Amino acid sequence: MGRGERGDLSDAEWERLRPLLPVSNGRCGRWRDHRQVIDGILHRVRTGVHWRDLPERFGPWKTVYERHRLWSADGTWERLLQQVQAAADAAGEIDWDISVDSTIVRAHQHAAGAHRSATGPRQLKGGRDTGTPGRMSVAETRRPTGGGSAGGEGLGSSRGGFTSKIHLSADGFCRPLSLIVTPGQRADCTQFVPVLEKIRVPRLGLGRPRKKPASVAADKAYSNGPCRQYLRQRGIRHTIPEKADSQAARLRKGSRGGRPPGFDEKRYRKRNTVERAISKLKNSRAVATRYDKRGYVFLGTVTAAALVIWLRS
Protein backbone atom coordinates (compact mmCIF):
# COMPACT_ATOMS: atom_id res chain seq x y z
CA MET A 1 0.00 0.00 0.00
CA GLY A 2 1.42 3.36 -0.99
CA ARG A 3 1.32 6.83 0.44
CA GLY A 4 -1.89 8.72 0.77
CA GLU A 5 -3.75 6.43 3.17
CA ARG A 6 -6.41 8.11 5.28
CA GLY A 7 -4.79 10.02 8.15
CA ASP A 8 -1.22 9.81 6.79
CA LEU A 9 0.90 12.90 6.30
CA SER A 10 0.47 14.48 2.90
CA ASP A 11 3.56 15.37 0.86
CA ALA A 12 3.13 19.04 1.76
CA GLU A 13 2.77 18.28 5.48
CA TRP A 14 5.80 15.99 5.37
CA GLU A 15 7.94 18.67 3.71
CA ARG A 16 7.02 21.10 6.49
CA LEU A 17 7.93 18.57 9.17
CA ARG A 18 10.96 16.85 7.63
CA PRO A 19 13.59 19.58 8.26
CA LEU A 20 12.63 19.72 11.95
CA LEU A 21 13.09 16.01 12.73
CA PRO A 22 16.07 14.66 14.72
CA VAL A 23 18.87 12.96 12.79
CA SER A 24 20.87 9.91 13.77
CA ASN A 25 24.27 10.46 15.37
CA GLY A 26 25.49 7.26 13.73
CA ARG A 27 26.49 5.61 17.03
CA CYS A 28 23.23 3.77 17.75
CA GLY A 29 22.33 2.61 14.26
CA ARG A 30 20.13 4.31 11.70
CA TRP A 31 16.64 5.61 12.41
CA ARG A 32 13.88 3.71 10.69
CA ASP A 33 12.19 5.89 8.06
CA HIS A 34 10.74 8.82 10.01
CA ARG A 35 7.76 9.24 7.71
CA GLN A 36 6.67 5.61 8.01
CA VAL A 37 7.01 5.65 11.80
CA ILE A 38 5.27 9.01 12.24
CA ASP A 39 2.39 7.82 10.07
CA GLY A 40 2.14 4.79 12.35
CA ILE A 41 2.10 6.98 15.47
CA LEU A 42 -0.55 9.27 13.99
CA HIS A 43 -2.64 6.25 12.96
CA ARG A 44 -2.64 5.06 16.56
CA VAL A 45 -3.39 8.58 17.90
CA ARG A 46 -6.30 8.93 15.49
CA THR A 47 -7.82 5.45 15.96
CA GLY A 48 -6.78 4.47 19.50
CA VAL A 49 -5.82 1.01 18.25
CA HIS A 50 -3.57 -1.26 20.32
CA TRP A 51 0.09 -0.71 19.44
CA ARG A 52 0.39 -4.42 18.66
CA ASP A 53 -2.47 -4.15 16.17
CA LEU A 54 -0.89 -1.47 13.98
CA PRO A 55 -1.11 -2.36 10.26
CA GLU A 56 2.06 -3.96 8.87
CA ARG A 57 2.65 -1.08 6.46
CA PHE A 58 3.98 0.98 9.39
CA GLY A 59 6.72 -1.53 10.16
CA PRO A 60 7.34 -3.27 13.51
CA TRP A 61 4.84 -2.03 16.08
CA LYS A 62 7.48 -1.91 18.80
CA THR A 63 9.63 0.45 16.75
CA VAL A 64 6.67 2.80 16.34
CA TYR A 65 5.81 2.62 20.05
CA GLU A 66 9.40 3.16 21.21
CA ARG A 67 9.81 6.18 18.92
CA HIS A 68 6.65 7.69 20.36
CA ARG A 69 7.72 6.92 23.94
CA LEU A 70 11.19 8.37 23.40
CA TRP A 71 9.93 11.55 21.71
CA SER A 72 7.37 12.00 24.48
CA ALA A 73 10.06 11.65 27.14
CA ASP A 74 12.78 13.86 25.63
CA GLY A 75 10.44 16.67 24.51
CA THR A 76 10.73 16.09 20.75
CA TRP A 77 6.95 16.29 20.19
CA GLU A 78 6.80 19.57 22.10
CA ARG A 79 9.77 20.97 20.17
CA LEU A 80 8.20 20.02 16.84
CA LEU A 81 4.97 21.74 17.86
CA GLN A 82 6.86 24.90 18.85
CA GLN A 83 8.79 24.98 15.58
CA VAL A 84 5.60 24.69 13.52
CA GLN A 85 4.08 27.45 15.65
CA ALA A 86 7.20 29.56 15.05
CA ALA A 87 6.78 29.29 11.27
CA ALA A 88 3.12 30.31 11.59
CA ASP A 89 4.03 33.26 13.83
CA ALA A 90 6.72 34.45 11.39
CA ALA A 91 4.06 34.47 8.65
CA GLY A 92 1.66 36.43 10.89
CA GLU A 93 -0.75 33.49 11.05
CA ILE A 94 -1.27 33.32 14.84
CA ASP A 95 -4.12 35.20 16.49
CA TRP A 96 -2.69 36.13 19.90
CA ASP A 97 -6.12 36.79 21.43
CA ILE A 98 -6.03 33.46 23.21
CA SER A 99 -8.45 31.50 25.39
CA VAL A 100 -7.83 29.05 28.23
CA ASP A 101 -9.90 26.07 29.34
CA SER A 102 -9.69 22.40 30.28
CA THR A 103 -11.40 19.15 29.37
CA ILE A 104 -11.94 15.84 31.15
CA VAL A 105 -10.68 12.66 29.48
CA ARG A 106 -11.99 9.28 30.60
CA ALA A 107 -9.17 6.83 31.27
CA HIS A 108 -9.49 3.29 29.94
CA GLN A 109 -8.77 0.44 32.33
CA HIS A 110 -5.55 -0.20 30.38
CA ALA A 111 -4.25 3.20 31.54
CA ALA A 112 -3.96 1.86 35.11
CA GLY A 113 -1.19 -0.28 36.53
CA ALA A 114 1.98 1.67 35.73
CA HIS A 115 5.04 0.41 37.61
CA ARG A 116 5.64 2.37 40.80
CA SER A 117 9.34 2.89 40.08
CA ALA A 118 9.59 5.38 37.21
CA THR A 119 13.37 5.85 37.49
CA GLY A 120 16.32 3.61 38.14
CA PRO A 121 16.92 0.00 37.05
CA ARG A 122 14.59 -2.70 38.24
CA GLN A 123 15.85 -4.98 40.99
CA LEU A 124 15.45 -8.71 41.39
CA LYS A 125 15.53 -10.51 44.72
CA GLY A 126 19.09 -10.58 45.97
CA GLY A 127 19.86 -7.16 44.57
CA ARG A 128 20.67 -8.18 40.98
CA ASP A 129 19.72 -5.72 38.24
CA THR A 130 17.64 -6.95 35.35
CA GLY A 131 18.56 -6.22 31.78
CA THR A 132 21.88 -5.34 30.22
CA PRO A 133 24.17 -3.24 32.49
CA GLY A 134 24.22 0.34 31.27
CA ARG A 135 21.48 -0.15 28.75
CA MET A 136 18.70 -0.14 31.33
CA SER A 137 20.06 2.96 33.07
CA VAL A 138 20.25 4.86 29.77
CA ALA A 139 16.68 3.91 28.91
CA GLU A 140 15.40 4.88 32.34
CA THR A 141 17.00 8.34 32.32
CA ARG A 142 14.89 9.23 29.31
CA ARG A 143 11.77 9.01 31.45
CA PRO A 144 10.69 12.16 33.25
CA THR A 145 10.91 11.95 37.03
CA GLY A 146 7.84 11.16 39.09
CA GLY A 147 5.15 8.62 38.43
CA GLY A 148 4.19 5.27 39.79
CA SER A 149 1.10 6.42 41.67
CA ALA A 150 -2.07 7.32 39.81
CA GLY A 151 -1.69 10.99 40.72
CA GLY A 152 1.92 11.01 39.55
CA GLU A 153 0.77 9.73 36.16
CA GLY A 154 -1.96 12.35 35.76
CA LEU A 155 -4.77 9.99 36.74
CA GLY A 156 -7.44 10.68 39.33
CA SER A 157 -11.06 10.28 40.30
CA SER A 158 -13.74 12.80 39.42
CA ARG A 159 -17.46 12.71 38.68
CA GLY A 160 -16.62 10.94 35.45
CA GLY A 161 -14.78 8.15 37.27
CA PHE A 162 -11.13 7.34 36.48
CA THR A 163 -10.03 10.42 34.53
CA SER A 164 -7.30 12.77 33.41
CA LYS A 165 -7.70 16.45 32.63
CA ILE A 166 -6.11 18.36 29.73
CA HIS A 167 -5.51 22.05 30.42
CA LEU A 168 -4.76 24.13 27.34
CA SER A 169 -4.56 27.53 25.75
CA ALA A 170 -5.65 28.08 22.15
CA ASP A 171 -5.11 30.88 19.67
CA GLY A 172 -7.90 32.65 17.79
CA PHE A 173 -7.82 30.03 15.03
CA CYS A 174 -8.71 27.12 17.37
CA ARG A 175 -5.19 25.68 17.59
CA PRO A 176 -3.57 24.58 20.88
CA LEU A 177 -0.66 26.74 22.01
CA SER A 178 0.23 24.94 25.26
CA LEU A 179 -0.86 21.73 26.97
CA ILE A 180 -0.70 20.28 30.49
CA VAL A 181 -2.06 16.95 31.80
CA THR A 182 -3.22 16.55 35.41
CA PRO A 183 -5.46 14.17 37.39
CA GLY A 184 -9.13 14.64 36.57
CA GLN A 185 -10.09 16.22 39.90
CA ARG A 186 -7.51 19.04 39.68
CA ALA A 187 -9.15 22.48 39.78
CA ASP A 188 -8.86 24.53 36.59
CA CYS A 189 -7.63 27.70 38.30
CA THR A 190 -4.58 25.92 39.77
CA GLN A 191 -3.21 25.34 36.25
CA PHE A 192 -4.00 28.78 34.80
CA VAL A 193 -0.51 30.19 35.39
CA PRO A 194 1.36 26.99 34.34
CA VAL A 195 -0.62 26.86 31.07
CA LEU A 196 0.21 30.49 30.23
CA GLU A 197 3.83 30.08 31.32
CA LYS A 198 4.19 27.11 28.97
CA ILE A 199 3.40 29.23 25.89
CA ARG A 200 6.71 29.55 24.08
CA VAL A 201 6.81 30.31 20.36
CA PRO A 202 10.42 30.65 19.13
CA ARG A 203 11.55 33.27 16.62
CA LEU A 204 12.88 31.95 13.33
CA GLY A 205 15.57 34.62 13.40
CA LEU A 206 17.08 36.54 16.27
CA GLY A 207 15.04 37.40 19.32
CA ARG A 208 13.51 35.82 22.35
CA PRO A 209 10.58 33.40 22.06
CA ARG A 210 7.16 35.00 22.30
CA LYS A 211 5.44 34.10 25.56
CA LYS A 212 2.99 36.94 26.10
CA PRO A 213 -0.46 36.88 24.44
CA ALA A 214 -2.28 40.05 23.41
CA SER A 215 -5.32 39.13 25.52
CA VAL A 216 -6.76 36.19 27.46
CA ALA A 217 -10.35 35.01 27.79
CA ALA A 218 -11.47 32.37 30.30
CA ASP A 219 -14.65 31.24 32.03
CA LYS A 220 -15.69 31.64 35.68
CA ALA A 221 -13.52 28.73 36.79
CA TYR A 222 -10.57 31.12 36.51
CA SER A 223 -12.27 34.05 38.24
CA ASN A 224 -10.17 34.52 41.34
CA GLY A 225 -7.66 37.00 42.74
CA PRO A 226 -4.41 35.15 41.95
CA CYS A 227 -5.33 34.64 38.26
CA ARG A 228 -6.32 38.28 37.78
CA GLN A 229 -3.27 39.51 39.68
CA TYR A 230 -0.94 37.42 37.50
CA LEU A 231 -2.47 38.88 34.34
CA ARG A 232 -2.24 42.43 35.68
CA GLN A 233 1.42 41.97 36.65
CA ARG A 234 2.23 40.85 33.10
CA GLY A 235 0.14 43.62 31.56
CA ILE A 236 -2.16 41.21 29.73
CA ARG A 237 -5.69 42.35 28.90
CA HIS A 238 -8.22 39.78 30.03
CA THR A 239 -11.91 38.97 29.94
CA ILE A 240 -13.06 36.72 32.78
CA PRO A 241 -16.63 36.95 34.13
CA GLU A 242 -17.06 37.62 37.83
CA LYS A 243 -18.60 34.89 39.97
CA ALA A 244 -21.93 35.68 41.66
CA ASP A 245 -20.57 35.08 45.16
CA SER A 246 -17.51 37.27 44.45
CA GLN A 247 -19.77 40.03 43.17
CA ALA A 248 -22.00 39.78 46.27
CA ALA A 249 -18.98 39.91 48.59
CA ARG A 250 -17.63 42.96 46.78
CA LEU A 251 -20.96 44.77 47.00
CA ARG A 252 -21.25 44.02 50.73
CA LYS A 253 -17.98 45.83 51.32
CA GLY A 254 -19.29 48.97 49.65
CA SER A 255 -16.56 51.40 48.61
CA ARG A 256 -13.95 49.12 50.20
CA GLY A 257 -14.87 46.38 47.76
CA GLY A 258 -13.29 48.22 44.86
CA ARG A 259 -14.47 48.51 41.29
CA PRO A 260 -15.86 45.53 39.37
CA PRO A 261 -13.40 43.86 36.98
CA GLY A 262 -13.71 44.92 33.37
CA PHE A 263 -15.65 42.57 31.13
CA ASP A 264 -15.78 42.75 27.33
CA GLU A 265 -18.81 40.72 26.26
CA LYS A 266 -17.84 40.83 22.58
CA ARG A 267 -14.33 39.55 23.34
CA TYR A 268 -15.75 36.84 25.62
CA ARG A 269 -17.74 35.40 22.72
CA LYS A 270 -14.43 34.52 21.07
CA ARG A 271 -13.75 32.10 23.93
CA ASN A 272 -15.46 29.39 21.88
CA THR A 273 -12.14 29.05 20.02
CA VAL A 274 -10.70 26.97 22.86
CA GLU A 275 -13.84 24.81 22.93
CA ARG A 276 -13.40 24.15 19.22
CA ALA A 277 -9.71 23.38 19.76
CA ILE A 278 -10.74 20.79 22.36
CA SER A 279 -13.21 19.31 19.89
CA LYS A 280 -10.44 19.00 17.28
CA LEU A 281 -8.14 17.30 19.78
CA LYS A 282 -10.85 14.83 20.78
CA ASN A 283 -11.38 13.82 17.17
CA SER A 284 -8.33 11.68 17.94
CA ARG A 285 -9.61 8.64 19.80
CA ALA A 286 -6.39 8.16 21.79
CA VAL A 287 -6.96 11.68 23.17
CA ALA A 288 -10.70 11.39 23.78
CA THR A 289 -10.03 8.20 25.78
CA ARG A 290 -6.73 7.76 27.54
CA TYR A 291 -5.01 4.40 26.99
CA ASP A 292 -1.43 5.38 27.92
CA LYS A 293 -0.21 4.29 31.36
CA ARG A 294 2.48 6.93 31.69
CA GLY A 295 1.51 10.56 32.06
CA TYR A 296 4.36 11.81 29.86
CA VAL A 297 3.40 9.39 27.08
CA PHE A 298 -0.21 10.59 27.17
CA LEU A 299 1.00 14.20 27.02
CA GLY A 300 3.06 13.19 23.98
CA THR A 301 -0.07 11.69 22.42
CA VAL A 302 -2.01 14.92 22.97
CA THR A 303 0.91 17.00 21.64
CA ALA A 304 1.13 14.84 18.51
CA ALA A 305 -2.60 15.42 17.92
CA ALA A 306 -2.05 19.18 18.38
CA LEU A 307 0.83 19.07 15.90
CA VAL A 308 -1.46 17.55 13.27
CA ILE A 309 -3.99 20.36 13.87
CA TRP A 310 -1.28 22.94 13.20
CA LEU A 311 0.03 21.13 10.11
CA ARG A 312 -3.48 20.90 8.62
CA SER A 313 -4.75 24.37 9.57
Side-chain angles (χ1 to χ4, degrees):
M1 301 175 71
R3 300 287 185 195
E5 298 292 334
R6 181 171 179 264
D8 289 357
L9 293 173
S10 68
D11 291 338
E13 293 162 358
W14 168 245
E15 287 304 317
R16 290 179 62 189
L17 199 58
R18 181 178 56 80
L20 310 176
L21 297 172
V23 296
S24 173
N25 58 17
R27 293 180 298 175
C28 301
R30 295 175 57 189
W31 288 97
R32 191 175 185 89
D33 179 32
H34 274 320
R35 186 170 184 178
Q36 181 187 35
V37 174
I38 291 174
D39 281 340
I41 293 171
L42 297 185
H43 178 85
R44 187 264 177 178
V45 170
R46 180 174 60 85
T47 63
V49 68
H50 283 280
W51 288 106
R52 293 175 182 271
D53 294 333
L54 281 175
E56 293 182 359
R57 66 187 181 91
F58 299 122
W61 71 267
K62 194 167 186 179
T63 299
V64 180
Y65 165 72
E66 286 295 336
R67 188 80 55 87
H68 178 57
R69 186 195 66 80
L70 174 62
W71 284 4
S72 299
D74 65 12
T76 297
W77 284 124
E78 185 175 0
R79 181 181 60 80
L80 292 174
L81 178 61
Q82 290 175 348
Q83 291 297 322
V84 172
Q85 291 171 346
D89 188 42
E93 296 174 354
I94 294 183
D95 182 349
W96 283 97
D97 288 330
I98 75 166
S99 301
V100 176
D101 205 351
S102 70
T103 182
I104 291 285
V105 174
R106 187 68 181 267
H108 193 272
Q109 61 185 8
H110 293 167
H115 292 296
R116 290 197 173 274
S117 177
T119 56
R122 293 169 295 176
Q123 298 284 326
L124 291 175
K125 291 183 179 179
R128 291 188 298 109
D129 294 345
T130 61
T132 304
R135 182 176 181 180
M136 177 60 69
S137 59
V138 171
E140 293 293 344
T141 57
R142 291 172 179 165
R143 298 182 181 182
T145 57
S149 65
E153 299 299 348
L155 291 167
S157 297
S158 65
R159 291 182 181 180
F162 198 41
T163 56
S164 292
K165 183 179 281 189
I166 302 171
H167 306 260
L168 72 155
S169 63
D171 79 334
F173 297 116
C174 313
R175 299 172 298 188
L177 280 169
S178 60
L179 299 155
I180 290 177
V181 172
T182 68
Q185 76 275 12
R186 189 67 55 83
D188 291 357
C189 60
T190 63
Q191 302 304 307
F192 182 72
V193 173
V195 164
L196 292 181
E197 289 289 337
K198 201 172 180 183
I199 296 175
R200 186 181 184 278
V201 178
R203 309 286 187 181
L204 292 186
L206 298 177
R208 296 178 179 179
R210 177 159 184 178
K211 300 180 179 181
K212 181 179 176 180
S215 70
V216 173
D219 61 20
K220 290 184 179 181
Y222 303 92
S223 180
N224 62 23
C227 291
R228 295 184 190 274
Q229 183 180 6
Y230 170 80
L231 292 168
R232 284 195 297 267
Q233 288 175 344
R234 294 191 63 189
I236 300 174
R237 294 184 294 111
H238 56 279
T239 299
I240 304 175
E242 189 178 20
K243 292 181 179 179
D245 57 348
S246 299
Q247 184 181 27
R250 178 175 52 79
L251 292 175
R252 282 197 303 269
K253 294 179 182 179
S255 60
R256 293 182 297 105
R259 294 177 297 178
F263 181 74
D264 185 343
E265 186 175 350
K266 183 177 180 181
R267 169 67 181 91
Y268 188 70
R269 284 199 290 267
K270 284 186 65 178
R271 198 188 65 82
N272 72 85
T273 55
V274 70
E275 303 286 355
R276 289 152 65 190
I278 290 171
S279 179
K280 289 181 178 182
L281 282 173
K282 286 192 167 182
N283 281 336
S284 300
R285 289 174 179 260
V287 175
T289 301
R290 173 175 170 173
Y291 301 100
D292 300 307
K293 294 181 184 295
R294 293 295 185 191
Y296 73 90
V297 176
F298 180 60
L299 180 59
T301 297
V302 181
T303 306
L307 177 63
V308 172
I309 292 173
W310 278 89
L311 288 173
R312 295 176 179 172
S313 62

